[in-house]
Amino acid sequence: MSWNAWVPLLVVMSSLLPGLIIFGLAEDKARLRIALNLFGALSKLVLVSWMIWGVYQGYHYETRLPLLPNLELVLRAGPLALLFVSLSTILWLVTTVYAIGYLEDSPHRSRFFGFFSLCVTATVGVALAGNLITFLLFYELLTLATYPLIVHRGTEEARQAGQTYLRYTISGGALLLIGTVWLYSLTGTLEFTPKGFLSNVGEQHYPALITIFALLIAGLGVKAALFPLHGWLPQAMIAPAPVSALLHAVAVVKAGAFGIIRVVYDVFGVEFSAALGVLAPLAWLAAFTIIYGSLRALFQDDLKRRLAYSTISQVSYIALGVAIAGPIATIGGVVHLVHQGLMKITLFFCAGNLAETLGIHKISEMNGVGRRMPWTMAAFTIGAFGMIGAPPIAGFISKWYLGLGALNTGQSWVILVLAGSSLLNAAYFLPILHRAWFMPPPESWPHEHPDKHKGEHKGEHRDKHYWGHKETAWALLLPPLVTAAMALAAGLLVTLPFSPLEWAKLISVREFYQP
Amino acid sequence: MQNAFIELPWAVALILLPLAGAMGCFLFPRISRTLGLMTSFSIVVSVVGLGWQLLEHGSYRHAVGGWGAPLGIELVADGLSLLMLTTTAIVGFAISVYSTTYFKPALAVRFWPIWMCLLAALNALFLSADIFNLYVTLELLGLSAVALTALTGSKEALSGAMRYLLATLLASLAYLLGVALLYHSFGSVDIAVLAQQMQAASPYASGAIWAALGLMAAGLMLKSAVFPLHFWLPPAHGSAPAPVSALLSALVVKASFYILLRLWFTLFEPLVNGEAINTLLGLLGCAAILWGSVQALRQTRLKLLIAYSTVAQIGYLFLVFPLAASMGSIAWNGVAYLIISHALAKSAMFLSAGNLLCFGGHDRIADLDRVVQRLPLTAAAFALAGVSIMGLPPSGGFIGKWLLLEAAIIQGRWDLVAVMILGGLLAAAYIFKVIGHTFTQAPVTHEAQSVSASMQWSALLLAIGAMLLGFLSLPVLSLLNISDITATSGVGL
Amino acid sequence: MTLWMAVIWPLLLSIPSLHNRLPWPRHLAIIPAAVLTVIPVDASINIAWLLYGTGFAIDGNIRWILGAFVVIWFAAATITLPSKDKPSSSYSTTLYLLTLTGSVGTLLTTDLVGFFSFSTLMGYSFYGFLILNGDKAQQRAGRLYLYFLIVADLALFEALLLVAFTTQHFQYEIARQVMSDSSSSPVYLYMVLLGFALKAGIWPFYFWLTAVFNSGSRSTVLLLLAGPMTMSLLGLLRWLPVREDFYIIGIIMQLLGVAAILHATLRVVTLILFNQGMARFSTAWFVISFTGLLSLALGTALLNPFLWQQYSHIVYPLIAAFSVSLSILILTTGKTHRKPASTDRAPVLIINISHELKKWIQATQQLATYLKLRAKTLWNKSGSFVIRRYQHVSNDQKIKSFVTDWKINITLFLILGLALAWLAR
């Protein structure tokens, strides 16, 4: 294989190999583990940047390995793949730093970081997949790699949450498998091609194709948390905050949404899907999920659960953008993949900070926390306003394009859904901000964590050696600020060449206009 | 040098070496472990040699002592038998490594000779070319397996072994009756010859031939523990030592299934072309999948769970009959792949169960106490093997399941698709039940014994092998398709 | 360059650690804006990389209003000097400065998207300012303002979408021209009118305005004048499409304007007559009458676009003059203010409606939870029933021994053999 053919494989391996090594490390070798983690993350970032630069110059990066007779494992760097891969890589780097700070002194860190690296491997594989079988392979690998992270704490509660998670995701995987095999038996190929590869399937197979579409979307919809397949997501919040942040805001949920994008654009083709009539039900389902998720979020007192329902609602924007079947709506859906990832991960990081430093898990305990942790809450505010859709933060841009796309294709009911969702988002985010900034703080926080770096105290924990001037550990503070800044930049600087929006426009052009 | 290496009579070596090893272990009990290990290793080398030979020359026929068929014994090797031999060699080697530290010396001196005998029987079975020889090896296999099951001498072991013995003797008797009937009808026992004659005689097949088919098939199905004749399997597994359970599930039941496959698609092929009989076998397979999986879910002991999982997986194998009846080389490939990956995965599971038993003194699932942290290699072995059993990518089980699903969808057999998917879901349920409990703390912590490294690593390496099979489909399938032993139009053989 | 500074400087100053170290930060923040007012040079810059391509500009019209603002803000900043040592005054300054940034940005920006962005910043910062250091009445006023603000922002967002649907350009004149001619202009018009009416407190959406005037301190009220209210009026001027067909809307707006003026006059007269002597409260009504006047003017303009083109540039200095005079009025009327009257029914009504809505939603949710619980128990019961029957059957010793009985198994075996043989025929 030429050098260009190795690069995608190396991108996948760059987190697999450090992960496998980390499994074998003893618990106390913290420095080595941190070094390996950061080495993996940075090398992946370097390789991905290389790929982006190379694609910009016109090179092709594709790895082909034989898997089955007549089917190959294909890793290909196209624009959509690069979008998702770069999002995952950057966010993995940030989350690794966060996780190192969060899990300091927690048990079983080697196991945690090993599985963490495996998860990122699977996500990157999902992103770079060049045909449906490769996608399926890494998609299931993602399920298997995330399960140990959910049950990491080893409590009975965690085990039950893991069972629920598996029930949903393994069933989804089975549906995806049937759909894929059926499709393969009908068409003999599974390669992702722009505009789909089903154009020369005869008319008598159309009912079969509709069923296959339903199966594939059901299988992907489990991870993408479409109603009624969303039940695992609130349960999975039992995992530690870095896991919730990366996986349930970025990797797992986005893998499902990314799969839906792939199926509609590169397997069926958007015009063919519209002709088959399968996009309208998908749009309705996505719209229902948007409203349903926001409504459920209104009634949650636990912060992470509220964010989980918010995720359910927001990820369906992507499905809605895809289902509206217009070039501008495509831009909206695809760019929301990036924007929602940035904003949601900020929110989850902040929630993790609150839980880890002050022991706050419920919104009713959050009175006045803005004075104690101003930078964290500032990042939270930016993320929350982005979710509501206030300019100039990134969420505004995606809502803009979704609304515009809806107008363009004459489906104005979508605008009502978007407006309703913005209202509901404001209804459940603004009270949190109000509590945090404008209400007086309580006497003491539920469980304030002592600063571990302030010298030894044998036994007694009280007053003196708490954080003092510092808000919290820098490893916990820096990541949310970085992602909040990125969300702000993604909104302010939309017209720059490498912004997510420009990239999404490129993808849309390829899908709709090029032959 | 290379040529000389290839031209050695590897097939004969494959049978003679373990026999010699058995005798050596019996005569020199003190060095039986080393001898056993060396013999296992030499079997692996022989299989490599045989494989090379087959790649060079195509399928291979060797007349023992220079006396050819129909009077003498011939050894035949083609793609399928090579794959079975390789599996036997690898799994056998792993079990040997495991057993060097598992058995206390008192048991070990009884284990090694019988184990070597069993290996010899297996190898001979996969290399046989006539049905009487198959009977001899089948019988030897059965008796060795029974002896190994009864190894510990406890009450449950003896009753389980007794049940197994009676079942296996009944089956062998039926098989022998079938052989006798065929010999009476056609005057030969060589498979190739019989196949030709059956082809000619099939439009006017007499009652004897049908009876032969019925008896032989039923006997082999009893030996393969397909539903509803699986009653001997769980008790035998429940009481046998871990390596013995591994070889029973992984190798012994596959041997009788192998014979069934051979006979079905070469010898009885003109007779069984119709729909109904294949449907019956498919139905039994579906029932096995569902029943075995449901029963596995209900178990509270780990080894019984794995035993019922074997019952379920055998059901998958029986789906080849309805699927391969028409056009089926995809189904054929799928089943062969499933046999190999199941052998690796199931033996890994049993070996890791043995580790857990050794570690905690019990194998109750709900009381598995944070095994993932204290015995990480074993937990990893169980999990990886479980992935293959569930049919999730990337593993050998996934490849096999994919191929079977493809064959089923192409032929429009949606009922089989539904059963296979349901089986996969149920398998995920019982495997993750176990894995979930390995993470949590048990109510009562038992004192931990240490488990030797060779035991842990042999289990883990077998499980990794099952995973790696997921990426090696092209070489393996090309080996499978080395030409067949008969000239008749066997299906994809 | 000064254009940039006018916007960025207050933004920078709003960071708490920065303005805690500088003396008189609120005064410092308006210096660049003051410079811009004083120097009579028209300037504009084009910032293609920000948002969808925006820019800042200043010309004669804008200078009027900017001048008014500088004066008012200076006054507001000076008034609050004595109360600087209140706790949380640092955050109060932050929000004050953010509102300032928003106002300056809204004023100076050259296109619709920039306007919307800065006005959002301004609106939410003002809300925060209201809540932070106010008493209960002011906080209630703030909440009212928030509800109105959210709906207004939604309406303006839809309006922006319509513009984007029709054209690529967002500069004021171009957008207004295009929207006047396009087919979706009625909807656009409704959205713009609704949004800005809510934001500026034009009759009949004036409730939050009176609530803030009633309860806020003088600097708050001044800030309100110089910030959200005037900016919204400005926005109305800039966003409104003018076309001949808007006959009915023009009439309605004229009617509303007249109603506003009448209502305001009535209220002021009543107040003076019954000697409740609430000057500042009456100031609010002055504001309302002014906005009513504006509404009247716009209505006329809608009916007769020609008039609009001739006289539109008068409105800027008019607004400036009005703001300054009103602020002088406020400054001189002292600190007293009365408690919220029972006549303030409307704001109470709105808050009551929101309470009712919340209770209704909670009731629905309780019903849903109850139903879910019933369904779950039913499912569990039936599931466990099935499982218990199954376990009863499979654990039964008699059945077990039946299944493993040799006679049964041998019979099964023979039946199987016969079946196979039969089927092979």
Side-chain angles (χ1 to χ4, degrees):
Chain A
M1 288 200 293
S2 67
W3 168 242
N4 280 353
W6 275 101
V7 178
L9 191 61
L10 280 179
V11 171
V12 174
M13 290 288 142
S14 65
S15 51
L16 181 63
L17 294 174
L20 291 175
I21 300 178
I22 290 176
F23 272 127
L25 288 180
E27 266 308 300
D28 53 352
K29 293 221 180 352
R31 289 232 174 126
L32 185 56
R33 188 170 43 227
I34 294 178
L36 271 175
N37 269 325
L38 289 176
F39 171 70
L42 286 171
S43 56
K44 198 193 282 286
L45 194 59
V46 165
L47 282 170
V48 169
S49 320
W50 183 321
M51 269 205 304
I52 295 179
W53 184 79
V55 167
Y56 193 62
Q57 306 278 331
Y59 292 115
H60 282 299
Y61 294 105
E62 186 174 287
T63 311
R64 289 189 162 256
L65 298 169
L67 187 68
L68 278 168
N70 297 327
L71 271 181
E72 290 175 309
L73 190 92
V74 180
L75 295 171
R76 182 170 34 226
L80 189 57
L82 284 176
L83 185 74
F84 193 33
V85 133
S86 44
L87 178 72
S88 305
T89 311
I90 295 176
L91 291 182
W92 181 38
L93 182 57
V94 172
T95 314
T96 308
V97 172
Y98 186 79
I100 293 174
Y102 192 86
L103 291 175
E104 213 174 330
D105 292 347
S106 291
H108 314 317
R109 269 168 296 160
S110 292
R111 189 173 94 202
F112 180 88
F113 281 109
F115 283 119
F116 203 65
S117 308
L118 279 185
C119 287
V120 181
T121 312
T123 314
V124 168
V126 161
L128 288 174
N131 62 10
L132 202 49
I133 178 84
T134 317
F135 181 88
L136 178 65
L137 199 142
F138 283 107
Y139 192 78
E140 296 284 24
L141 196 58
L142 188 61
T143 307
L144 293 173
T146 44
Y147 172 78
L149 290 177
I150 297 182
V151 298
H152 177 78
R153 293 223 166 100
T155 58
E156 183 61 25
E157 223 183 3
R159 191 181 74 86
Q160 296 286 2
Q163 299 273 59
T164 315
Y165 177 67
L166 283 174
R167 239 179 280 148
Y168 279 91
T169 43
I170 303 252
S171 317
L175 291 176
L176 195 58
L177 179 64
I178 305 181
T180 311
V181 181
W182 196 351
L183 195 61
Y184 180 63
S185 70
L186 277 180
T187 59
T189 172
L190 290 174
E191 294 280 322
F192 287 142
T193 19
K195 297 188 192 261
F197 54 84
L198 294 176
S199 42
N200 45 11
V201 170
E203 275 241 9
Q204 76 275 20
H205 291 299
Y206 279 11
L209 284 181
I210 296 181
T211 323
I212 294 179
F213 187 86
L215 284 171
L216 290 175
I217 296 294
L220 295 165
V222 169
K223 285 225 171 85
L226 281 177
F227 182 86
L229 307 163
H230 65 285
W232 60 274
L233 189 55
Q235 305 282 351
M237 288 296 125
I238 200 138
V243 177
S244 305
L246 184 63
L247 298 184
H248 306 302
V250 176
V252 171
V253 176
K254 288 299 158 52
F258 182 77
I260 296 183
I261 298 180
R262 278 282 195 210
V263 162
V264 174
Y265 291 146
D266 291 333
V267 172
F268 278 78
V270 88
E271 275 141 15
F272 184 68
S273 318
L276 272 183
V278 289
L279 287 184
L282 182 60
W284 298 331
L285 194 60
F288 184 78
T289 313
I290 293 176
I291 302 293
Y292 177 79
S294 301
L295 278 177
R296 288 299 297 267
L298 271 176
F299 298 111
Q300 304 296 327
D301 190 29
D302 187 275
L303 182 58
K304 275 172 81 173
R305 279 183 83 108
R306 186 173 280 204
L307 292 178
Y309 278 106
S310 171
T311 306
I312 293 175
S313 167
Q314 292 280 329
V315 171
S316 293
Y317 276 39
I318 304 175
L320 188 61
V322 161
I324 294 181
I328 307 213
T330 308
I331 300 178
V334 170
V335 86
H336 199 56
L337 195 76
V338 176
H339 290 166
Q340 200 265 345
L342 289 173
M343 295 188 292
K344 209 16 100 45
I345 211 175
T346 313
L347 294 174
F348 270 107
F349 280 159
C350 298
N353 276 0
L354 291 177
E356 180 65 12
T357 320
L358 299 174
I360 293 179
H361 294 285
K362 293 195 178 303
I363 295 173
S364 44
E365 296 166 351
M366 269 177 76
N367 287 356
V369 80
R371 279 165 234 266
R372 169 74 178 76
M373 301 184 72
W375 286 107
T376 307
M377 286 315 294
F380 192 92
T381 311
I382 294 183
F385 273 116
M387 288 288 176
I388 298 177
I393 310 174
F396 165 73
I397 308 288
S398 19
K399 284 200 184 164
W400 173 280
Y401 274 91
L402 281 174
L404 205 52
L407 280 178
N408 262 327
T409 52
Q411 296 172 313
S412 310
W413 60 273
V414 173
I415 301 200
L416 284 176
V417 170
L418 287 177
S421 167
S422 297
L423 270 176
L424 288 170
N425 277 346
Y428 64 74
F429 272 123
L430 288 179
I432 303 182
L433 296 178
H434 184 271
R435 257 190 208 271
W437 291 111
F438 298 128
M439 295 191 82
E443 274 302 308
S444 70
W445 302 106
H447 177 67
E448 185 150 4
H449 232 81
D451 183 1
K452 297 160 187 95
H453 299 295
K454 281 224 172 172
E456 278 78 32
H457 326 287
K458 321 283 188 231
E460 51 101 19
H461 286 268
R462 284 285 120 199
D463 56 292
K464 286 184 301 203
H465 296 281
Y466 280 82
W467 295 95
H469 294 304
K470 279 202 307 182
E471 186 170 319
T472 177
W474 69 267
L476 290 180
L477 190 56
L478 210 52
L481 291 177
V482 167
T483 49
M486 285 203 285
L488 197 55
L492 275 178
L493 306 173
V494 273
T495 43
L496 285 186
F498 277 105
S499 74
L501 185 68
E502 294 300 313
W503 219 329
K505 284 188 185 166
L506 181 68
I507 295 171
S508 176
V509 161
R510 251 175 45 120
E511 173 64 20
F512 281 92
Y513 295 120
Q514 282 175 1
Chain B
M1 176 62 199
Q2 203 171 328
N3 280 332
F5 183 74
I6 294 180
E7 295 308 326
L8 289 174
W10 291 112
V12 180
L14 274 174
I15 307 178
L16 286 184
L17 280 173
L19 277 178
M23 281 199 288
C25 289
F26 184 65
L27 290 176
F28 308 108
R30 267 199 249 133
I31 53 168
S32 55
R33 279 184 355 180
T34 338
L35 264 183
L37 204 54
M38 268 173 32
T39 319
S40 272
F41 185 68
S42 60
I43 294 181
V44 176
V45 172
S46 318
V47 167
V48 169
L50 182 63
W52 208 336
Q53 209 169 20
L54 281 184
L55 282 174
E56 291 282 322
H57 297 301
S59 69
Y60 167 87
R61 258 185 123 83
H62 175 98
V64 172
W67 295 321
L71 281 179
I73 301 179
E74 282 204 340
L75 298 177
V76 160
D78 72 340
L80 182 61
S81 43
L82 176 65
L83 278 178
M84 301 300 295
L85 285 168
T86 321
T87 317
T88 312
I90 297 177
V91 174
F93 183 63
I95 294 182
S96 303
V97 169
Y98 188 86
S99 313
T100 50
T101 40
Y102 182 85
F103 286 107
K104 310 268 179 314
L107 280 182
V109 298
R110 287 186 267 161
F111 172 76
W112 286 105
I114 313 181
W115 167 227
M116 291 294 117
C117 260
L118 197 143
L119 273 179
L122 271 177
N123 288 341
L125 195 146
F126 293 129
L127 290 170
S128 299
D130 65 81
I131 50 180
F132 186 72
N133 211 11
L134 280 175
Y135 167 72
V136 171
T137 53
L138 205 55
E139 197 65 27
L140 185 57
L141 183 65
L143 292 176
S144 322
V146 167
L148 283 177
T149 313
L151 201 64
T152 53
S154 69
K155 191 161 143 274
E156 302 88 39
L158 284 179
S159 72
M162 191 58 157
R163 186 176 293 271
Y164 183 18
L165 179 66
L166 292 176
T168 204
L169 282 182
L170 177 61
S172 307
L173 206 59
Y175 180 81
L176 188 59
L177 219 50
V179 169
L181 285 171
L182 280 180
Y183 186 63
H184 168 79
S185 307
F186 295 118
S188 163
V189 287
D190 184 75
I191 297 186
V193 173
L194 278 175
Q196 282 172 336
Q197 303 205 325
M198 184 79 75
Q199 189 82 351
S202 70
Y204 345 92
S206 65
I209 301 182
W210 301 332
L213 169 63
L215 284 168
M216 290 170 88
L220 290 170
M221 281 165 67
L222 177 53
K223 275 191 181 276
S224 305
V226 69
F227 181 90
L229 302 169
H230 64 285
F231 59 90
W232 57 267
L233 191 70
H237 277 295
S239 51
V244 174
S245 306
L247 61 96
L248 273 184
S249 268
L251 302 175
V252 174
V253 296
K254 301 297 165 43
S256 42
F257 181 73
Y258 164 85
I259 303 178
L260 188 59
L261 271 185
R262 277 274 190 236
L263 297 181
W264 202 265
F265 288 111
T266 54
L267 190 52
F268 293 118
E269 197 252 334
L271 286 183
V272 300
N273 253 332
E275 282 276 320
I277 191 166
N278 289 316
T279 316
L280 175 65
L281 287 180
L283 211 60
L284 289 178
C286 293
I289 296 176
L290 294 175
W291 178 257
S293 305
V294 170
Q295 286 292 77
L297 263 177
R298 286 190 52 224
Q299 299 303 319
T300 51
R301 282 188 55 204
L302 188 57
K303 286 186 78 180
L304 285 179
L305 185 144
I306 308 180
Y308 276 106
S309 168
T310 305
V311 172
Q313 298 290 317
I314 303 278
Y316 275 101
L317 300 182
F318 270 80
L319 291 181
V320 72
F321 295 107
L323 287 178
S326 42
M327 52 105 36
S329 79
I330 303 178
W332 185 258
N333 288 350
V335 161
Y337 224 87
L338 271 183
I339 294 180
I340 308 170
S341 47
H342 180 250
L344 287 174
K346 200 35 78 62
S347 49
M349 278 178 121
F350 268 116
L351 293 183
S352 47
N355 285 347
L356 289 172
L357 203 56
C358 194
F359 180 71
H362 71 89
D363 68 341
R364 286 186 302 279
I365 298 174
D367 289 339
L368 286 174
D369 186 19
R370 287 167 295 150
V371 169
V372 76
Q373 196 61 24
R374 294 147 85 195
L375 267 192
L377 293 175
T378 307
F382 190 88
L384 289 178
V387 166
S388 180
I389 299 279
M390 288 189 265
L392 287 180
S395 65
F398 172 70
I399 305 283
K401 191 163 151 186
W402 172 279
L403 290 170
L404 280 183
L405 279 174
E406 198 186 323
I409 291 186
I410 290 181
Q411 296 174 36
R413 296 296 305 261
W414 290 103
D415 48 342
L416 295 180
V417 170
V419 168
M420 279 194 267
I421 296 287
L422 198 56
L425 290 176
L426 289 170
Y430 61 71
I431 301 255
F432 275 108
K433 185 169 97 156
V434 177
I435 296 183
H437 278 289
T438 59
F439 275 92
T440 56
Q441 183 150 6
V444 179
T445 315
H446 300 271
E447 209 182 280
Q449 322 276 341
S450 73
V451 179
S452 78
S454 61
M455 283 163 72
Q456 297 196 47
W457 278 103
S458 51
L460 184 60
L461 286 174
L462 275 179
I464 294 181
M467 295 289 277
L468 281 181
L469 270 183
F471 295 106
L472 294 174
S473 71
L474 271 135
V476 168
L477 289 178
S478 65
L479 274 183
L480 179 62
N481 292 321
I482 297 178
S483 59
D484 54 348
I485 53 174
T486 65
T488 60
S489 58
V491 180
L493 255 181
Chain C
M1 190 55 210
T2 336
L3 279 172
W4 266 114
M5 285 305 285
V7 179
I8 297 291
W9 180 241
L11 186 65
L12 276 179
L13 277 182
S14 68
I15 302 176
S17 32
L18 202 52
H19 70 65
N20 278 336
R21 294 174 217 272
L22 291 172
W24 298 8
R26 301 190 188 193
H27 292 90
L28 277 183
I30 34 180
I31 293 182
V35 167
L36 270 181
T37 321
V38 166
I39 301 180
V41 175
D42 284 356
S44 74
I45 48 178
N46 197 9
I47 315 173
W49 51 264
L50 192 63
L51 292 170
Y52 290 131
T54 177
F56 294 131
I58 183 161
D59 66 352
N61 287 333
I62 299 179
R63 196 167 278 120
W64 277 109
I65 304 192
L66 190 60
F69 277 8
V70 169
V71 169
I72 300 178
W73 282 330
F74 186 79
T78 322
I79 296 180
T80 57
L81 263 179
S83 58
K84 213 167 145 208
D85 7 82
K86 260 204 285 214
S88 77
S89 72
S90 168
Y91 281 164
S92 163
T93 316
T94 305
L95 288 167
Y96 178 95
L97 289 173
L98 280 177
T99 319
L100 205 89
T101 318
S103 307
V104 175
T106 322
L107 191 54
L108 293 179
T109 187
T110 55
D111 77 323
L112 296 178
V113 180
F115 188 97
F116 186 56
S117 310
F118 279 110
S119 83
T120 311
L121 176 63
M122 173 179 69
Y124 282 108
S125 314
F126 185 65
Y127 161 72
F129 188 71
L130 279 179
I131 298 289
L132 188 61
N133 48 8
D135 56 350
K136 266 212 126 51
Q138 189 168 342
Q139 287 185 346
R140 218 181 50 173
R143 241 182 309 144
L144 255 185
Y145 176 59
L146 184 67
Y147 297 155
F148 280 86
L149 182 66
I150 294 178
V151 178
D153 273 346
L154 264 179
L156 288 179
F157 182 69
E158 307 310 331
L160 266 182
L161 275 186
L162 283 171
V163 175
F165 179 51
T166 319
T167 170
Q168 288 287 358
H169 300 284
F170 295 108
Q171 281 80 27
Y172 297 125
E173 285 308 321
I174 304 179
R176 194 183 359 210
Q177 192 61 34
V178 170
M179 287 318 287
S180 309
D181 297 331
S182 90
S183 58
S184 44
S185 51
V187 185
Y188 177 71
L189 180 63
Y190 295 144
M191 288 292 149
V192 167
L193 281 177
L194 181 67
F196 283 115
L198 288 168
K199 275 194 174 215
I202 298 182
W203 204 94
F205 301 120
Y206 63 89
F207 305 107
W208 66 270
L209 199 65
T210 46
V212 174
F213 263 88
N214 203 22
S215 56
S217 63
R218 284 185 298 170
S219 63
T220 315
V221 174
L222 284 178
L223 197 60
L224 168 63
L225 263 188
M229 211 201 74
T230 322
M231 283 296 100
S232 315
L233 290 177
L234 183 68
L236 199 54
L237 286 179
R238 286 183 158 168
W239 286 50
L240 202 64
V242 182
R243 202 170 90 168
E244 299 206 349
D245 295 357
F246 294 146
Y247 198 65
I248 302 187
I249 294 290
I251 301 274
I252 293 182
M253 286 206 62
Q254 287 184 314
L255 285 176
L256 285 178
V258 169
I261 298 177
L262 282 178
H263 190 183
T265 324
L266 200 63
R267 272 307 183 92
V268 172
V269 163
T270 332
L271 282 172
I272 294 180
L273 273 185
F274 293 112
N275 202 16
Q276 291 168 16
M278 292 304 106
R280 195 141 35 86
F281 191 54
S282 56
T283 324
W285 291 102
F286 279 134
V287 175
I288 291 172
S289 61
F290 178 72
T291 54
L293 193 65
L294 200 64
S295 168
L296 183 63
L298 282 175
T300 325
L302 280 177
L303 288 178
N304 193 350
F306 198 54
L307 275 179
W308 174 260
Q309 266 141 8
Q310 280 192 310
Y311 292 113
S312 59
H313 61 276
I314 296 183
V315 190
Y316 292 92
L318 199 62
I319 294 181
F322 177 74
S323 334
V324 174
S325 50
L326 206 60
S327 54
I328 294 176
L329 195 61
I330 293 174
L331 279 172
T332 51
T333 50
K335 288 193 186 157
T336 52
H337 62 90
R338 76 168 173 174
K339 313 254 180 329
S342 53
T343 54
D344 285 351
R345 261 170 310 196
V348 178
L349 182 66
I350 291 178
I351 292 186
N352 280 345
I353 290 179
S354 68
H355 275 303
E356 279 304 309
L357 209 63
K358 244 196 210 157
K359 275 201 285 194
W360 202 77
I361 293 179
Q362 268 177 341
T364 319
Q365 193 226 356
Q366 276 173 350
L367 180 67
T369 321
Y370 173 73
L371 283 176
K372 198 163 73 161
L373 219 57
R374 298 298 302 163
K376 246 196 194 151
T377 16
L378 204 65
W379 174 260
N380 280 343
K381 276 226 182 94
S382 58
S384 65
F385 175 73
V386 168
I387 292 178
R388 265 183 286 125
R389 289 305 303 166
Y390 173 70
Q391 277 181 338
H392 177 75
V393 163
S394 55
N395 280 341
D396 194 346
Q397 274 305 107
K398 284 215 307 231
I399 298 181
K400 257 199 186 144
S401 54
F402 178 79
V403 162
T404 54
D405 190 0
W406 275 110
K407 299 195 276 285
I408 305 297
N409 287 312
I410 296 183
T411 320
L412 273 176
F413 179 68
L414 289 174
I415 293 178
L416 184 63
L418 281 173
L420 287 170
W422 175 264
L423 287 174
R425 273 191 335 152

